[in-house]
Every structure is written in structure tokens, then in C-alpha cells.
Amino acid sequence: MKKEAKFWKVLPDNKVQCNLCSHKCIISAGRTGICGVRKNEGGKLYTLIYGSCSSMAADPIEKKPLYHFHPATNVFSLGTIGCNFKCLHCQNYSISTADPDFSYMREITPEDSIKLAKEYSCQGISYTYNEPTIWYEFTYDSVKLAKKAGLYTCYVTNGYILEEPLKEISPFLDAMNIDVKAFTDNFYKEVCKAKLEPVLKTCKLAKKLGIHVELTYLVIPDHNDSLDEVKSFLSWVIEKLGNDTPIHFSRFHPDHKMMDIPRTPMEKMLKIYDVAKKSGILYPYLGNVIHDNYENTYCPKCGNKCVSRSGFSVDLKQCDEGKCAKCGKKIPIVTK
Ligand code: SF4
């Protein structure tokens, strides 16, 4: 559904500049920006996908992944089409590369999104599957209603949103899982057609704005898996975000235009987990691995298994009101 966009300015010659994400596209009349869903029509910028849903489901919040945020609840998850990144390994390319004429779209209102979340017995709402930033206008209207309705809200994002839109939505946005896809600009340029620095800036700003932040780092063989690169990333997290920031190291499987890259060896995943622990990260996790031990939350003080996770089943019995049941240490888990 077409609607006038937020965050843009008029330029000479009927051009506009979109100021929603760090690409800051300059768009000629009749053209769309890099994301393919924001169009200059007659010198005005429009979103073409307001309320246009490609996917919706009730998911466990752990699937986002968010482990320290309303554990063991269900979140109503919505996605649209398009993306401002061009990741060669995209796992949702059927929607991220679709154009606005995509035939499997369902048009909904922000009110519908809340109604559906309640109907699906969800405690929160999440904008996910493709990049939510490029769906800003709809998600903004939806999160405002969600907060009024007592639902929590989250973005699962590549972190390319600019400062002004993030600040504007932040009073209504409770959590973000931000992908840090690698820790080199070269990877971002070659694999995602983007830059690293704006993503790091968003992580810091989100934290400063009081949004709950968890990070995901997808480990791709020979692309971003060198221990030096991972260590640089970990040092940055500890210095800028804090060692209590949950980090999900996820195992790569071949997809989209990276079918020739093998799955990440399990030994590498375990090594990275070990490096993260030794570097002082308190809550590292491994994703896409069949091994229960690496999804649990351990007390940093006494080692007690405070939260057990297996698949999407969660046992919180050892985390009594946000504290380790054995030694009483506070475990940072948002529940309200
Ligand atoms: S949201 Fe889309 S149009 Fe706007 S700057 Fe980003 S990629 Fe370009």
C-alpha cells in the first residue's frame, strides 16, 4: 500500500533524498531507492509497502533470537518485502529481493497487527523476516499501538537505520536484535553492499536510548571467521556496549548466492564460543547447532545453569526473579 514516506528531503531537479537509512539514497523521479520499496513520484517520496505483509507467524521469542528478553513468550512476527542490504547469503531472499508487486502480500492496518497478535495469544510483536527499517512508517504506527495494548515490541535488524528515525521510534521500541555481519568494512562492502561503521553506531545508540540489545554474528567460513576478527569484535562489544550484552554466534549454512561455501565446522563454532568466554563476554550463545549446552545461560559468578534452553523450550526455574537461584547474582533478563 502506498503512503507518503517519512524522513526525506527535496533536492533540485525533482530528486529527493531518503534519510531513513545510512545509504541516504538520492532518488530521481520515477525511481526507487536501493531497498526497492521507497519511490520518488513527482518529487515526493513514498513507501510502497505500508501495511503490506509477506509473512506472519507466532514465534517463540528465542527464535529471533532474543534470549534475555521476555523468555518463554510468543511474539507475533511480521515481515514485508525488500531490503537495503544485498547479502549474498540472505536466508530470506524470496522476500528480501521481491518487488512491491509480490503476489503473496496481505494488506493490514496497524490496528490489525495488534488484533492479530492478541488472537495468536502473543505477548509481543516483532518486525522481522526482512529488514524492518525499510518498513518504518508501518512499524512506527504499529509499535505505538502495541505499547498501548500492553505488548512488547522488537526489531530484528541489520542496524542500518539512521539516528533520527531510531530516536523517534525508540520510546515505543523495547528490543533489537542487531546483526553484526562481520567486523571488517571489506566484508560489508563485498557481501552486503553496505558499510560496517553505521551498524556499530546504531548498536551504541540503541543501547544509549535504553533499548534492550542483543547481537547476532553469523560465522561464515573464510569470510568472517578468523579468530583475530572475532576478537576485535568482542573487544569492541566489551568496550562500547558492555560484557553483559548477549551475543548469538550463528552457524552458517549455504544459501542464495553462497551455495559454494560449506557449513561452518562445529569445531570453529566451539572455538569461537571459547574465545568469547575467555575474552570476558558473559552471555555468548551458539545458534543453528545441535548441542544444548551452548544455548543455556550460566551464572557468571557461580556457574549455575540459570536458564536451560533446548530447541525453543525454556526452563527458567534456576533464575528466580532475575537472580541466580543458587548464589543470588542478578542475571540481566528483561521480563517487564
Ligand atoms: S530506506 Fe531505502 S530508499 Fe531510504 S536510504 Fe535506505 S535504501 Fe535508500
Side-chain angles (χ1 to χ4, degrees):
M1 186 190 310
K2 191 169 95 177
K3 189 171 180 175
E4 188 173 335
K6 290 167 81 116
F7 306 107
W8 60 280
K9 67 175 184 189
V10 172
L11 295 179
D13 303 323
N14 238 14
K15 290 181 180 169
V16 298
Q17 180 164 37
C18 177
N19 288 315
L20 178 54
C21 90
S22 284
H23 286 305
K24 294 187 177 177
C25 296
I26 292 175
I27 311 170
S28 302
R31 307 296 295 264
T32 56
I34 289 171
C35 57
V37 295
R38 297 170 79 77
K39 188 173 184 186
N40 175 350
E41 286 189 9
K44 260 188 173 184
L45 187 66
Y46 291 90
T47 167
L48 303 177
I49 52 165
Y50 186 91
S52 307
C53 247
S54 70
S55 331
M56 58 176 73
D59 287 332
I61 189 72
E62 285 75 19
K63 197 174 172 183
K64 298 301 106 192
L66 287 167
Y67 278 10
H68 287 237
F69 183 77
H70 294 272
T73 61
N74 280 328
V75 62
F76 187 61
S77 304
L78 292 167
T80 179
I81 50 120
C83 192
N84 50 353
F85 279 20
K86 305 291 165 204
C87 300
L88 299 176
H89 55 293
C90 181
Q91 291 170 8
N92 284 329
Y93 63 91
S94 62
I95 54 171
S96 69
T97 61
D99 64 38
D101 297 327
F102 189 61
S103 48
Y104 297 103
M105 214 87 97
R106 173 173 168 187
E107 298 297 333
I108 64 167
T109 64
E111 289 78 10
D112 292 334
S113 67
I114 308 308
K115 203 167 148 244
L116 286 162
K118 297 265 179 185
E119 274 172 25
Y120 279 75
S121 305
C122 290
Q123 289 76 32
I125 187 159
S126 156
Y127 311 90
T128 177
Y129 304 131
N130 72 317
E131 175 52 42
T133 300
I134 62 165
W135 207 18
Y136 188 90
E137 290 77 7
F138 177 78
T139 63
Y140 182 78
D141 291 347
S142 175
V143 287
K144 278 174 82 173
L145 293 178
K147 292 316 298 169
K148 271 193 196 152
L151 297 168
Y152 65 73
T153 59
C154 39
Y155 261 25
V156 179
T157 176
N158 60 29
Y160 227 49
I161 191 167
L162 277 172
E163 185 171 336
E164 197 189 342
L166 181 57
K167 279 187 170 164
E168 195 167 313
I169 201 169
S170 65
F172 315 103
L173 190 60
D174 299 315
M176 293 170 89
N177 181 299
I178 305 175
D179 271 335
V180 177
K181 292 177 187 277
F183 209 63
T184 64
D185 217 28
N186 196 44
F187 178 100
Y188 267 85
K189 190 170 153 219
E190 299 290 324
V191 178
C192 312
K193 301 279 177 282
K195 292 181 181 155
L196 170 64
E197 195 50 42
V199 178
L200 302 183
K201 207 172 153 195
T202 296
C203 295
K204 287 187 284 181
L205 179 61
K207 192 101 185 179
K208 198 171 146 203
L209 290 168
I211 298 170
H212 172 79
V213 173
E214 301 194 18
L215 305 177
T216 294
Y217 188 108
L218 179 71
V219 182
I220 309 178
D222 296 331
H223 283 73
N224 64 1
D225 66 338
S226 87
L227 293 184
D228 283 347
E229 183 174 348
V230 171
K231 282 178 188 167
S232 305
F233 164 60
L234 296 168
S235 304
W236 179 87
V237 173
I238 290 169
E239 191 191 334
K240 304 293 183 188
L241 306 179
N243 66 348
D244 58 354
T245 307
I247 306 179
H248 304 264
F249 289 99
S250 198
R251 190 181 187 192
F252 171 83
H253 65 81
D255 218 325
H256 195 33
K257 295 178 181 169
M258 274 195 164
M259 294 302 291
D260 54 332
I261 311 291
R263 278 175 78 89
T264 319
M266 199 51 207
E267 304 75 58
K268 175 62 72 136
M269 298 302 295
L270 295 177
K271 184 74 199 161
I272 286 175
Y273 182 88
D274 195 45
V275 164
K277 276 273 187 194
K278 286 195 175 127
S279 74
I281 293 289
L282 300 180
Y283 307 109
Y285 300 103
L286 298 185
N288 295 342
V289 302
I290 306 169
H291 202 310
D292 289 351
N293 286 347
Y294 301 97
E295 297 179 323
N296 301 321
T297 301
Y298 295 95
C299 173
K301 192 172 164 200
C302 72
N304 183 30
K305 197 198 285 181
C306 290
V307 185
S308 309
R309 301 181 186 85
S310 179
F312 296 122
S313 90
V314 183
D315 181 349
L316 286 152
K317 285 198 275 299
Q318 288 297 308
C319 190
D320 205 12
E321 296 189 354
K323 288 184 185 150
C324 171
K326 204 165 161 192
C327 75
K329 179 164 173 64
K330 192 173 179 327
I331 308 293
I333 293 185
V334 179
T335 51
K336 284 186 189 131

